[in-house]
Amino acid sequence: MAITDLTHRLRSPKIALLALLITAVATFLIAYLLVSIFRHKTEAANPYLRFVEVKQSTTDPAPWGLNWPREYDRYKSTVQASRTNFGGGDANPAQKSEVFPFLTRMFAGYAFGIDYRDRRGHSYMLHDQEITRRVTERPQSGACLHCHASVIPTYVRLGGEDPEKTPYNDKTIHDGLVKLSAMKYWDAHAEVIKTGSSTPIEGKPDQFKHFEGAHPVSCTDCHNAKTMRLEVRRPGFVAGIRALKASQGIKDFDVNRDATRSEMRTFVCAQCHVEYYCGPKTTLFFPWNNGVKIEEIEKTYDNYKFADGKRFNDWVHAETGAELLKAQHPEFEMWNQGVHAKSGVSCTDCHMPYVREGAMKVSDHYVRSPLLMVAQSCQQCHGWSESELTNRVASIQNTTFAQMLRAGQSLTDFLDTFKTLRAPFNEKNRALAAQQAREKLSKDAAFAKLSGAEQEKKLTEATQGALNALWAEHVAKTPELKAIGELQRKAQWRLDYVAAENSMGFHAPQEATRILGESIDYFRQAQLETVRLLGPGAKYPVTLEPARKK
């Protein structure tokens, strides 16, 4: 009886309909899964479609964006503010001296003393250089464009070859660098505009039209236009990494031939985020002949002679007459001394982490601080909470910040003491300096056209400049003053190295602290030597706890 009832129930229309529905749903899910797998495999096999052709000479990133819209859209996001506790990304970046008042005197007599603002995103890298007072009010070299513009096709053209034809030759690029570096900034800038971009014609994706214009860092600066593999062509880095590898016993290193993909994910960034010389006295170079630690770079500079036979220096300090060094932004060098470099972590792992879009894994081209994307950048390796990770970073950066303020105060105390030492010289030679200034300005036709107030201002500036020059000559003839200058050179190089590096110590915390400790020591030695020259009873400042601004 029970078997008959069960059979009757199974034959019921409702049960049959339910069974059919379950079968249909199962079939749909299986089919959806198979289609999804097929679609994901297809996406993975064909990560992009080329709607237009691009060339290495396509310096405008917009045409590249037609083929790689995900990356281009994220790159455009670098116009957005991306501030963290210690800088970055404001619409109107503040002067660094607002936080570090000592910077103005630190760079006395140098362009960084009149304008030195916080950094912004990559989209602004050329624009911010074009408008800084360091360029608009002071003469600069065309070498400055090496790391601020999409400049490789211009190097190729000036090197004597057609930028439309690839592959590019490293020697040709270097020849172009030599020519552009020898130009004044705005003449070089005009050459970059003239080279412009080879842009595909709308409706004719395989034909190109030339458009004049200058662009900041672009797709062509990191990628091969045909294969999209990472590629490094900036001549400063190509020569610098070859010299570095040679110092490690690796001969004839070709970065595009010999570097691993993981290394390339750092090297494309290290084309610019490094220490280098880009002034008018010689062609731009990366000082890596002896290594990338601060002392090794210092050794390269100390042994380098300009064409006139003089020892390398960036400028002569206006207050002391010392021949000093200016650090650029040595992120690559500092990173090399930290645990992340030793662990094989690349720049892009943290600043351009992979993100998922469907089946595709792409690098986030919105380049910014990892603190703004902890989950993607940090928690892929570190299994702690976001608050724990950000607190660790804050601890490192706050320690570096405090140590930097102490080093800056040591600089200020030294300069205040030295000012007392120099005062009698200024009083004795001011009349001579004023006479030299008047003689020089009398030969300047533009000076005669100025108003009385403007002439007075110009004369005051020229007199101070002449007085500084007389003092520098006096320092060069006085061994005791030269010795103090050497201490200042070491101290200031170390302070500037950490201040100019854009991680506030995070890339290598112990190294940053060590360098700042040495800076403080050298500044205090320079101050003590100055006191010794002042004689018994001399008064001098020693500020143990600097005032903090943040």
Side-chain angles (χ1 to χ4, degrees):
M1 183 66 178
I3 294 176
T4 302
D5 290 342
L6 178 61
T7 302
H8 177 73
R9 284 196 295 270
L10 286 175
R11 289 175 179 173
S12 167
K14 292 183 179 180
I15 299 299
L17 182 61
L18 180 61
L20 180 62
L21 182 61
I22 292 173
T23 302
V25 170
T27 302
F28 172 79
L29 292 174
I30 293 171
Y32 178 82
L33 178 61
L34 292 174
V35 170
S36 179
I37 291 172
F38 177 76
R39 178 171 60 82
H40 279 62
K41 285 185 175 181
T42 302
E43 286 180 353
N46 301 284
Y48 56 83
L49 294 174
R50 281 185 181 262
F51 294 100
V52 297
E53 287 298 317
V54 291
K55 297 182 177 182
Q56 289 309 139
S57 56
T58 307
T59 57
D60 184 352
W64 295 71
L66 298 174
N67 297 332
W68 299 280
R70 300 175 182 86
E71 290 83 352
Y72 180 53
D73 286 345
R74 298 300 287 166
Y75 166 79
K76 290 190 295 183
S77 296
T78 60
V79 300
Q80 299 177 14
S82 55
R83 169 157 286 279
T84 59
N85 286 341
F86 293 99
D90 285 347
N92 184 25
Q95 293 285 353
K96 288 192 173 185
S97 58
E98 292 181 15
V99 177
F100 301 111
F102 60 82
L103 289 177
T104 301
R105 293 184 71 188
M106 179 171 169
F107 296 125
Y110 200 48
F112 279 86
I114 62 173
D115 193 3
Y116 188 19
R117 294 182 179 274
D118 219 335
R119 59 196 179 278
R120 287 203 287 181
H122 283 127
S123 292
Y124 293 106
M125 62 193 301
L126 179 57
H127 171 75
D128 285 354
Q129 185 181 67
E130 293 167 336
I131 65 171
T132 177
R133 292 173 61 199
R134 300 198 304 272
V135 169
T136 60
E137 297 181 16
R138 297 288 180 89
Q140 297 295 342
S141 161
C144 299
L145 291 161
H146 181 275
C147 288
H148 285 265
S150 190
V151 72
I152 302 303
T154 300
Y155 289 149
V156 172
R157 180 173 64 80
L158 294 178
E161 293 188 5
D162 184 356
E164 302 299 310
K165 297 179 180 179
T166 52
Y168 289 162
N169 179 275
D170 285 340
K171 183 182 183 306
T172 301
I173 294 173
H174 185 268
D175 290 345
L177 168 68
V178 173
K179 290 185 177 180
L180 202 72
S181 295
M183 298 179 187
K184 295 179 180 179
Y185 178 84
W186 290 111
D187 293 335
H189 189 277
E191 291 293 336
V192 176
I193 291 176
K194 180 179 178 181
T195 302
S197 177
S198 295
T199 301
I201 300 173
E202 186 176 355
K204 301 176 181 178
D206 58 345
Q207 297 182 34
F208 294 81
K209 183 177 180 179
H210 174 259
F211 288 92
E212 289 194 347
H215 298 277
V217 63
S218 182
C219 314
T220 187
D221 293 298
C222 301
H223 292 280
N224 182 289
K226 292 186 180 297
T227 66
M228 287 305 293
R229 71 185 292 269
L230 294 176
E231 190 170 86
V232 170
R233 289 298 176 195
R234 270 180 165 72
F237 180 85
V238 170
I241 196 68
R242 184 181 294 119
L244 175 61
K245 293 293 185 179
S247 74
Q248 299 169 348
I250 303 172
K251 296 181 179 179
D252 192 31
F253 183 81
D254 184 324
V255 61
N256 293 302
R257 179 193 66 202
D258 301 330
T260 66
R261 174 168 172 76
S262 178
E263 288 177 319
M264 291 297 283
R265 283 169 55 81
T266 287
F267 289 167
V268 290
C269 305
Q271 293 183 90
C272 299
H273 289 268
V274 290
E275 165 60 20
Y276 53 83
Y277 173 75
C278 64
K281 300 176 186 177
T282 191
T283 302
L284 178 145
F285 69 94
F286 290 17
W288 296 346
N289 299 50
N290 296 294
V292 292
K293 291 191 70 173
I294 186 172
E295 293 87 358
E296 295 165 341
I297 296 172
E298 184 178 40
K299 179 180 178 181
T300 297
Y301 282 147
D302 286 346
N303 292 333
Y304 189 94
K305 303 288 185 183
F306 288 121
D308 60 5
K310 294 183 179 179
R311 183 181 66 158
F312 181 92
N313 69 85
D314 284 289
W315 91 106
V316 175
H317 196 268
E319 294 189 38
T320 66
E323 297 178 344
L324 301 181
L325 307 176
K326 171 70 188 83
Q328 303 305 320
H329 24 67
E331 284 86 49
F332 173 72
E333 292 89 345
M334 187 71 86
W335 165 85
N336 260 287
Q337 311 311 315
V339 66
H340 288 91
K342 306 303 185 220
S343 302
V345 179
S346 73
C347 303
T348 54
D349 288 330
C350 300
H351 294 274
M352 298 176 63
Y354 285 120
V355 292
R356 283 279 181 186
E357 294 201 16
M360 295 185 62
K361 184 176 74 169
V362 299
S363 290
D364 186 350
H365 281 57
Y366 179 12
V367 186
R368 60 201 190 281
S369 168
L371 290 173
L372 301 174
M373 44 183 174
V374 172
Q376 299 97 314
S377 294
C378 309
Q379 290 179 319
Q380 301 301 312
C381 297
H382 299 289
W384 294 283
S385 68
E386 182 170 332
S387 61
E388 170 67 15
L389 292 170
T390 54
N391 286 339
R392 290 190 183 193
V393 175
S395 176
I396 291 169
Q397 293 186 324
N398 287 333
T399 298
T400 306
F401 178 76
Q403 191 79 334
M404 198 182 302
L405 288 177
R406 291 188 178 94
Q409 189 62 57
S410 299
L411 161 68
T412 303
D413 288 350
F414 158 64
L415 291 177
D416 287 345
T417 306
F418 198 91
K419 185 177 181 179
T420 304
L421 179 66
R422 181 176 162 174
F425 179 92
N426 288 353
E427 190 67 27
K428 180 180 178 181
N429 291 277
R430 191 172 298 280
L432 174 60
Q435 178 185 342
Q436 292 178 345
R438 290 191 188 92
E439 290 176 356
K440 182 178 179 179
L441 291 173
S442 67
K443 302 174 183 178
D444 184 356
F447 178 74
K449 299 178 182 179
L450 297 176
S451 67
E454 290 174 328
Q455 286 186 348
E456 188 65 30
K457 180 181 178 182
K458 197 79 173 178
L459 179 60
T460 300
E461 292 174 351
T463 298
Q464 187 59 51
L467 190 59
N468 291 343
L470 290 170
W471 174 255
E473 292 176 5
H474 177 63
V475 170
K477 300 173 185 176
T478 311
E480 294 88 352
L481 294 176
K482 287 181 69 176
I484 292 172
E486 289 301 300
L487 291 169
Q488 182 188 1
R489 179 179 169 110
K490 286 180 174 294
Q492 190 152 314
W493 164 241
R494 283 158 174 76
L495 172 54
D496 189 21
Y497 194 89
V498 178
E501 199 271 336
N502 281 309
S503 75
M504 191 54 74
F506 178 77
H507 284 148
Q510 290 176 316
E511 179 72 352
T513 300
R514 179 187 74 83
I515 291 170
L516 289 172
E518 289 188 357
S519 174
I520 294 170
D521 179 40
Y522 283 126
F523 274 132
R524 291 305 184 189
Q525 287 187 52
Q527 185 182 13
L528 288 173
E529 285 301 304
T530 304
V531 170
R532 186 178 65 81
L533 292 181
L534 283 170
K539 296 181 179 180
Y540 57 93
V542 178
T543 308
L544 298 179
E545 191 61 37
R548 296 194 178 199
K549 291 185 178 182
K550 188 173 178 181

